[in-house]
Amino acid sequence: MAYTDHPSARLLPGWVETIRGHAAEAEKLGKLHPEQLKLIYQQQWFNLLAPAVYGGLQTPLPQLIATEEALSWADGSLGWVVTLCCGAGWFGGFLQPGVAKQVYADTEACIAGSGAATGTAAITGDGYIVNGSWKYASGVHHATYITVNCLITNGEEPELDDDGAQLILPFILNRADVTLLPGWKYMGMVATGSDAYEVNNLYVDKSRCFKIEAAAAAIPSLLYTYPFLQLAEATLAANLSGMAVHFIDLCVPAFAYKATNIRRVNEANVALMESELTTATTQLNQTRQDFFAAVDASWQQPTDIGLLKEVSHTSRILARTARECVDKLYPYCGLLAALPVTEINRVWRDLHTACQHALLTFAE
């Protein structure tokens, strides 16, 4: 199976039925539906990047992004939650083994978190006192553990890193020690439940602190020495690609309805719509091909800086192409595309909300 096949080739029809059949209700809930979660746990999608030694799937990057693209094609919010939570599960390759075994002892382990360093961790004895609040943690309602990034202090002074800047370190916390706060009020990705959370004067043992760098990997595997930046860029771009393919799929019946039910749409209009659909499909598929090829090449030679830069470049091109192709087709879809309760509108909202992620907004 080629990575650039239609994303549906990677999912069983029953899985898609479960995911899409509960997508509207998940949006009402503001988090994934229990039946969607049941499927995720059965397939271990939250553990796609977790180390095999702890029961995870430790999926190679090319296969990972193909799976994530397919899940986001099935539903943008579900794909995004799986991507962000299994991305946090990648940290299992950097946790101290004793802590990692605790985390993954739960067969429904799920790690959520935020990359923003909006907390502080004050050094005290054999640990830290953590305070802070963090926004936009996708999947936080399903998390068993939550990660936080903190500015490190020593007494009243900032602890400095080797470059003289204030040291920032991540910690992994028990979900029970974290207070969730309502924070997601945006038009799309509603079912991701990307709410905020806070921690107040929590003592955290130093064993819960870890570093995200190749030299600090606890698992000797390419997956945990591959650069985090390109891994993050590629996984997010794959999500946007999957949503765009879903939107293009939905354009087929939308255009057909408009061609046969709107009297002011003539043969020339129909030809124009079909031409635009063909162009968008071809453009997106070519960009997907370039993207998957770049990821695969970097996976074969992960120390080649040029190949890694190409992953960053093609990730941004794919994100832009996904958005532009959808926007080109949207005006032809009729008012149903603007009705919030329709599937095509949900896909449009999810894509445009996900496209706001800063990692893929600016040129590398």
Side-chain angles (χ1 to χ4, degrees):
M1 182 186 301
Y3 294 134
T4 50
D5 287 344
H6 191 279
S8 60
R10 296 193 166 269
L11 300 177
L12 294 179
W15 296 351
V16 180
E17 182 179 352
T18 295
I19 293 169
R20 291 188 177 171
H22 295 92
E25 186 63 27
E27 189 162 73
K28 292 178 183 177
L29 293 171
K31 58 184 178 181
L32 297 184
H33 189 278
E35 289 300 315
Q36 294 176 321
L37 283 170
K38 181 180 178 181
L39 177 62
I40 289 170
Y41 296 137
Q42 287 174 344
Q43 301 305 317
Q44 290 189 275
W45 287 330
F46 282 151
N47 289 327
L48 283 167
L49 287 176
V53 69
Y54 306 128
L57 300 182
Q58 201 167 319
T59 309
L61 183 59
Q63 290 93 314
L64 172 77
I65 61 172
T67 299
E68 291 177 342
E69 183 193 49
L71 291 174
S72 286
W73 166 79
D75 178 66
S77 285
L78 181 137
W80 191 265
V81 170
V82 167
T83 295
L84 273 291
C85 289
C86 82
W90 181 77
F91 298 151
F94 302 86
L95 297 176
Q96 292 190 22
V99 173
K101 289 176 182 177
Q102 293 176 20
V103 170
Y104 293 107
D106 187 346
T107 57
E108 296 183 353
C110 174
I111 304 174
S114 168
T118 53
T120 61
I123 298 172
T124 177
D126 288 330
Y128 302 81
I129 300 296
V130 173
N131 285 279
S133 61
W134 295 263
K135 298 192 292 185
Y136 312 144
S138 297
V140 71
H141 293 276
H142 317 301
T144 52
Y145 287 84
I146 294 177
T147 61
V148 296
N149 272 3
C150 293
L151 296 163
I152 308 302
T153 63
N154 192 346
E156 298 296 322
E157 299 298 322
E159 186 78 359
L160 304 182
D161 61 20
D162 293 338
D163 296 322
Q166 186 166 9
L167 180 63
I168 298 173
L169 290 174
F171 297 81
I172 187 165
L173 311 178
N174 290 49
R175 163 64 183 85
D177 293 327
V178 176
T179 301
L180 299 190
L181 304 170
W184 193 252
K185 302 176 182 179
Y186 302 92
M187 71 172 186
M189 309 300 284
V190 178
T192 63
S194 300
D195 282 322
Y197 57 97
E198 67 178 9
V199 174
N200 293 301
N201 295 320
L202 177 67
Y203 174 78
V204 181
D205 189 81
K206 63 182 180 182
S207 64
R208 296 295 190 99
C209 178
F210 58 100
K211 291 184 178 181
I212 308 170
E213 53 189 46
I219 304 294
S221 165
L222 169 58
L223 184 59
Y224 306 111
T225 56
Y226 187 91
F228 178 63
L229 175 61
Q230 280 75 28
L231 184 146
E233 291 170 332
T235 55
L236 296 186
N239 274 255
L240 301 177
S241 176
M243 290 181 238
V245 174
H246 188 181
F247 187 91
I248 287 175
D249 289 348
L250 293 171
C251 283
V252 176
F255 287 11
Y257 176 85
K258 195 165 187 176
T260 56
N261 290 275
I262 307 299
R263 285 179 295 176
R264 283 172 291 183
V265 176
N266 56 38
E267 290 185 6
N269 298 147
V270 172
L272 174 62
M273 291 192 300
E274 291 178 348
S275 175
E276 294 285 17
L277 182 60
T278 298
T279 298
T281 302
T282 301
Q283 184 179 2
L284 181 61
N285 283 337
Q286 181 59 60
T287 308
R288 289 175 64 228
Q289 182 175 330
D290 295 342
F291 165 72
F292 278 103
V295 171
D296 191 62
S298 74
W299 186 250
Q300 300 303 320
Q301 300 183 62
T303 59
D304 189 312
I305 301 301
L307 294 178
L308 291 171
K309 287 184 177 180
E310 187 63 13
V311 172
S312 297
H313 176 68
T314 56
S315 294
R316 284 166 173 76
I317 295 296
L318 181 56
R320 187 177 72 218
T321 301
R323 183 183 65 250
E324 291 177 349
C325 285
V326 166
D327 286 346
K328 188 73 171 179
L329 298 175
Y330 180 82
Y332 303 117
C333 294
L335 278 174
L336 284 177
L339 187 62
V341 297
T342 61
E343 181 180 9
I344 194 169
N345 179 263
R346 183 170 62 249
V347 177
W348 183 88
R349 287 186 287 109
D350 283 351
L351 173 67
H352 281 79
T353 303
C355 279
Q356 298 305 308
H357 198 292
L359 192 60
L360 295 178
T361 300
F362 302 102
E364 72 274 18

